[in-house]
């Protein structure tokens, strides 16, 4: 096990009606003026924004609103939010939505406390500044951003999508009511399940080797996702299934499932280029295509690790041929994503061979070369993985 530091300051309020406690909890924490940040009109049509606003009003907390966050959030709206915070003397950010909204809120919370353009933080990865405190009302379990130190934002002008990690931007509160996820469309539910499962794969496959306490947590979460996925897709109003998925999604990316490891994150880097190329590509769908391709390309570095994963998660019986067992585990992973309704090829995402050279330059900017820890990848390696995914 490698040395590690772990920070988890998030106060979780979980269960039916959790969002009704927003005002009281933020008032206790000293909030005076809040920016309520959200995505499309569905949050307003459902009455959630009004309920959250009423909770803030009842607690005597002033608030302003900024909606319009798209999937794969973009820096232009972040800059608008930063300006609102600075001009409006905002002291808390409240994200109402899923990973894209939370990531946008984190970027705003950072940008509101610096004099430079907020995008510079994504370029320089600077950490020596304050961050406005963040609270979350989660509506889409997937990214785990409600408790993580990470944010990912796109810059359409530059054709880039990149991340920024800072423990100071971990949310202070996460209000998690599984009932708010009942109306998620099946595709969005499935993409979320894929995203959280891939967060575990990024941590399970690295260059460290066995870390039993972390591995067992990781594998348990994988098995929970596999067990609950068919239940939640067949019965969207199943509270217990939704609750298990919501809590699992947080654990997948909070950081605990990777302690003592270097982690890999090559596949997330490869996928970010897909959704930077076309922001309409859903992150989870891109991962469903890219992860099996990455696995096929790198499994020879440690086939026993892949074989063990196949046995522990899919119940595969060892054949005595470790490489064959590793390939079977990869096949099962692809089949699992397909069973959720996820794509299995880049062609299904509208990406072809001509797009590969377009993605490599920004991949080099965003990840540096080589990248990944399980196998250190060059741009030539990345091109081959994209080709495997075609």
């Amino acid at each position: 096990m490698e040395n590690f530091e772990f920070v988890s300051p998030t106060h979780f309020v979980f269960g039916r009606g959790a969002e009704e406690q927003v005002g009281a909890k933020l008032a206790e924490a000293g909030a005076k003026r809040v920016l309520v940040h959200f995505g499309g009109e569905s949050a307003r049509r459902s009455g959630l924004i009004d309920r959250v606003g009423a909770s803030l009003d009842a607690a005597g907390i002033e608030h302003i609103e900024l909606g319009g966050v798209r999937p794969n959030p973009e820096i232009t709206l972040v800059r608008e939010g930063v300006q609102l915070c600075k001009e409006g003397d905002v002291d808390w950010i409240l994200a109402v939505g899923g990973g894209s909204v939370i990531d946008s809120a984190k970027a705003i919370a950072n940008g509101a406390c610096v004099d430079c353009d907020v995008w510079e933080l994504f370029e320089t990865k600077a950490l020596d500044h304050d961050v406005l405190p963040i609270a979350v009302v989660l509506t889409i379990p997937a990214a785990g951003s409600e408790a993580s130190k990470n944010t990912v934002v796109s810059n359409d002008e530059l054709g880039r999508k990149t991340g920024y990690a800072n423990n100071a931007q971990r949310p202070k509160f996460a209000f998690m009511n599984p009932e708010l996820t009942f109306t998620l469309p099946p595709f969005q539910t499935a993409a979320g399940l894929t995203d959280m499962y891939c967060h575990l794969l990024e941590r399970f496959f690295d260059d460290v080797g066995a870390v039993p306490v972390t591995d067992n947590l990781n594998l348990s979460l994988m098995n929970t996702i596999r067990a609950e996925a068919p239940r939640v897709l067949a019965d969207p109003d199943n509270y217990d299934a939704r609750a298990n998925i919501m809590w699992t999604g947080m654990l997948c990316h909070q950081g605990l499932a990777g302690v003592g490891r270097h982690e890999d994150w090559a596949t997330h880097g490869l996928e970010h280029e897909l959704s930077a190329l076309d922001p309409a590509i859903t992150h989870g769908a891109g991962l469903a295509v890219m992860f099996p391709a990455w696995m096929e390309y790198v499994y020879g570095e440690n086939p026993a690790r892949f074989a063990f994963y196949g046995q522990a998660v899919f119940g595969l019986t060892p054949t005595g041929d470790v490489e064959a067992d590793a390939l079977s585990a990869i096949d099962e992973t692809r089949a699992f994503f397909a069973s959720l309704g996820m794509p299995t090829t880049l062609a299904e995402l509208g990406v072809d061979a001509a797009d590969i050279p377009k993605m490599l330059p920004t991949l080099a900017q965003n990840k540096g070369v080589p990248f990944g820890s399980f196998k250190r990848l060059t741009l030539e390696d990345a091109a081959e993985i994209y080709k495997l995914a075609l």
Side-chain angles (χ1 to χ4, degrees):
M1 180 184 292
E2 297 295 292
N3 294 352
F4 65 87
E5 294 185 22
F6 180 69
V7 176
S8 183
T10 309
H11 180 146
F12 298 100
V13 181
F14 191 99
R16 294 179 174 90
E19 70 278 11
E20 297 169 8
Q21 299 187 49
V22 167
K25 294 294 187 185
L26 265 61
E28 290 175 7
K32 302 296 183 186
R33 187 167 174 80
V34 172
L35 174 67
V36 180
H37 197 38
F38 58 97
E41 286 303 307
S42 61
R44 194 181 298 281
R45 287 195 304 269
S46 70
L48 179 58
I49 298 299
D50 288 341
R51 294 201 307 277
V52 167
S55 181
L56 294 170
D57 288 338
I61 298 174
E62 297 181 14
H63 49 97
I64 57 177
E65 296 179 357
L66 178 62
V69 182
R70 72 178 198 195
N72 299 308
E74 210 272 330
I75 196 66
T76 303
L77 189 66
V78 169
R79 289 174 175 139
E80 184 178 340
V82 168
Q83 184 175 358
L84 283 174
C85 288
K86 289 182 175 181
E87 294 176 352
D89 198 25
V90 166
D91 59 3
W92 274 75
I93 312 289
L94 175 62
V96 182
S100 293
V101 173
I102 302 167
D103 281 4
S104 184
K106 288 178 178 178
I108 292 170
N110 280 277
C113 296
V114 298
D115 293 328
C116 64
D117 178 60
V118 62
W119 182 253
E120 289 187 26
L121 299 179
F122 288 82
E123 296 279 17
T124 65
K125 315 301 184 188
L127 301 174
D128 56 343
H129 60 274
D130 293 331
V131 178
L132 289 182
I134 303 158
V136 173
V137 175
L138 186 66
T139 62
I140 304 173
S145 194
E146 64 273 12
S148 80
K149 66 180 180 179
N150 304 93
T151 180
V152 179
V153 170
S154 295
N155 186 322
D156 289 354
E157 182 182 2
L158 300 178
R160 293 183 59 193
K161 178 180 178 181
T162 191
Y164 173 71
N166 185 355
N167 275 314
Q169 69 183 2
R170 288 183 188 265
K172 305 302 183 186
F173 288 97
F175 300 90
M176 304 171 70
N177 177 0
E179 292 178 323
L180 298 180
T181 70
F182 284 1
T183 58
L184 286 175
F187 180 83
Q188 199 164 27
T189 297
L193 290 162
T194 304
D195 191 10
M196 59 183 73
Y197 191 88
C198 289
H199 286 157
L200 298 171
L201 293 177
E202 295 281 21
R203 293 175 163 95
F204 189 78
F205 294 106
D206 70 356
D207 59 345
V208 172
V211 183
V213 64
T214 300
D215 289 353
N216 287 331
L217 173 61
N218 200 309
L219 293 167
S220 176
L221 292 170
M222 289 183 191
N223 280 309
T224 298
I225 294 169
R226 289 195 64 244
E228 297 296 347
R231 287 214 304 159
V232 79
L233 290 172
D235 183 8
D237 293 346
N238 185 319
Y239 180 87
D240 287 338
R242 288 286 191 184
N244 286 332
I245 287 299
M246 179 173 266
W247 191 243
T248 297
M250 183 280 297
L251 288 171
C252 288
H253 200 39
Q254 175 225 28
L256 195 60
V259 294
R261 295 195 158 283
H262 295 150
E263 307 182 8
D264 189 81
W265 300 105
T267 306
H268 267 70
L270 292 165
E271 194 290 320
H272 287 166
E273 299 310 315
L274 297 179
S275 42
L277 178 74
D278 180 2
I281 293 176
T282 301
H283 179 56
L287 288 172
V289 173
M290 293 311 305
F291 229 110
W294 174 85
M295 293 170 118
E296 286 185 356
Y297 192 77
V298 306
Y299 81 94
E301 298 293 305
N302 189 349
R305 185 74 176 165
F306 282 83
F308 170 60
Y309 154 74
Q311 295 154 25
V313 177
F314 298 105
L316 301 178
T317 301
T319 65
D321 184 337
V322 174
E323 291 215 358
D325 292 346
L327 289 170
S328 294
I330 297 167
D331 289 342
E332 290 289 341
T333 304
R334 182 181 282 110
F336 171 56
F337 293 152
S339 75
L340 302 178
M342 290 289 98
T344 59
T345 67
L346 287 178
E348 294 174 72
L349 298 174
V351 177
D352 59 30
D355 292 313
I356 294 175
K358 303 174 187 176
M359 296 186 286
L360 297 178
T362 50
L363 178 64
Q365 286 180 285
N366 291 334
K367 296 297 291 185
V369 178
F371 63 103
S373 65
F374 185 83
K375 176 180 171 62
R376 299 290 284 165
L377 301 175
T378 65
L379 288 185
E380 290 75 17
D381 293 321
E384 292 303 314
I385 295 170
Y386 283 127
K387 290 175 185 176
L388 278 175
L390 290 170

